[in-house]
Amino acid sequence: MAWFGSSLPKSYKDVTDQVDIKGLDLLNSDNNHGNARTLFDSSKPTALKILDGENLPPEEEGLKDWVESDTDEQLMLFVPFQSTLKIHTLHVTSLPPKKTAKEDIPMRPKTIQIYTNRAHILGFEEAEDIPATQAIELNEADWDGGTGTAKIELRFVKFQNVSSMVLFVIDGNGDGEKVRIDRLKIIGETGEKRELGKLEKIGDEPGE
């Protein structure tokens, strides 16, 4: 059974299974941790299992099932879908450990820009020159104290026929040097199936 870090909005469902896993792309991630596929794993994060006092099976002991940025706090994630989606909400789970005096811990994401219907991942400098479909700023109060999940409600009218999505994590909430994300879930409605490999580039989203 799939794990959820937050409740689902009425009349919408989890459509994370529509992510085209083979087409995922992720820039500036630390190879010592998980990859893009890790973010869409339906299981409960091991960090949360530990916090909840659960006994981990041997194969999960020492498992780093999260993504952490590498050279700085920015991440760029390309997410293609197997069908066109109407996206209502994103669930972002981030479970950094408690800070100690001796180590610099990763931060939760603070500023995220979302771009829809791109043909491929964006470069960091490229993204700065393209108007985002929506920009989000998360504060500490947005994160659920029990599950480490922020529920982001999108401007639904702008996410009606989404065949791909780029998430650009610009910075983190704190003074650390890296950002951590454990899970991502996509909530909305499914539309028509698309032919994989034939995602056509749609022009830049108009500014607001």
Side-chain angles (χ1 to χ4, degrees):
M1 183 178 293
W3 171 84
F4 292 95
S6 185
S7 60
L8 301 188
K10 189 177 180 180
S11 302
Y12 297 99
K13 64 179 182 179
D14 177 21
V15 294
T16 310
D17 63 352
Q18 294 302 306
V19 171
D20 176 13
I21 296 295
K22 292 182 180 179
L24 290 170
D25 201 359
L26 179 64
L27 300 181
N28 194 40
S29 65
D30 187 335
N31 293 330
N32 293 317
H33 300 85
N35 55 29
R37 294 186 180 202
T38 307
L39 296 172
F40 300 99
D41 193 307
S42 62
S43 65
K44 184 177 181 178
T46 57
L48 191 56
K49 291 180 181 179
I50 293 170
L51 287 173
D52 290 344
E54 299 179 25
N55 292 321
L56 297 181
E59 64 271 17
E60 291 186 10
E61 292 183 3
L63 181 65
K64 295 183 177 180
D65 63 333
W66 64 85
V67 163
E68 199 167 300
S69 61
D70 189 11
T71 59
D72 58 23
E73 58 193 318
Q74 297 191 332
L75 286 168
M76 189 77 72
L77 173 67
F78 174 67
V79 187
F81 301 116
Q82 300 174 44
S83 60
T84 55
L85 302 180
K86 295 181 178 181
I87 304 177
H88 182 277
T89 305
L90 296 179
H91 289 179
V92 182
T93 301
S94 179
L95 297 158
K98 293 185 181 300
K99 189 170 186 178
T100 66
K102 294 183 179 180
E103 61 180 343
D104 182 31
I105 64 166
M107 303 174 289
R108 286 172 166 162
K110 180 182 179 183
T111 309
I112 303 174
Q113 292 193 167
I114 303 174
Y115 308 82
T116 56
N117 298 334
R118 310 304 304 183
H120 50 74
I121 199 163
L122 299 175
F124 290 99
E125 291 185 5
E126 181 184 9
E128 293 177 358
D129 295 330
I130 297 174
T133 308
Q134 184 170 343
I136 295 145
E137 184 164 317
L138 296 169
N139 300 306
E140 196 59 40
D142 294 319
W143 299 91
D144 184 282
T147 66
T149 299
K151 182 164 61 174
I152 302 170
E153 292 189 2
L154 301 178
R155 297 191 185 103
F156 195 43
V157 68
K158 292 195 170 193
F159 292 83
Q160 289 295 298
N161 292 287
V162 183
S163 55
S164 72
M165 183 168 60
V166 173
L167 274 69
F168 177 20
V169 178
I170 296 177
D171 54 21
N173 196 345
D175 56 3
E177 297 180 355
K178 296 187 176 186
V179 159
R180 167 172 168 164
I181 304 176
D182 291 63
R183 294 290 188 273
L184 286 171
K185 284 194 179 293
I186 301 164
I187 313 301
E189 300 175 358
T190 55
E192 293 182 3
K193 286 279 184 180
R194 70 174 181 86
E195 292 184 56
L196 299 184
K198 292 189 177 182
L199 176 62
E200 295 182 359
K201 181 175 180 178
I202 298 176
D204 293 348
E205 292 288 333
E208 294 182 1

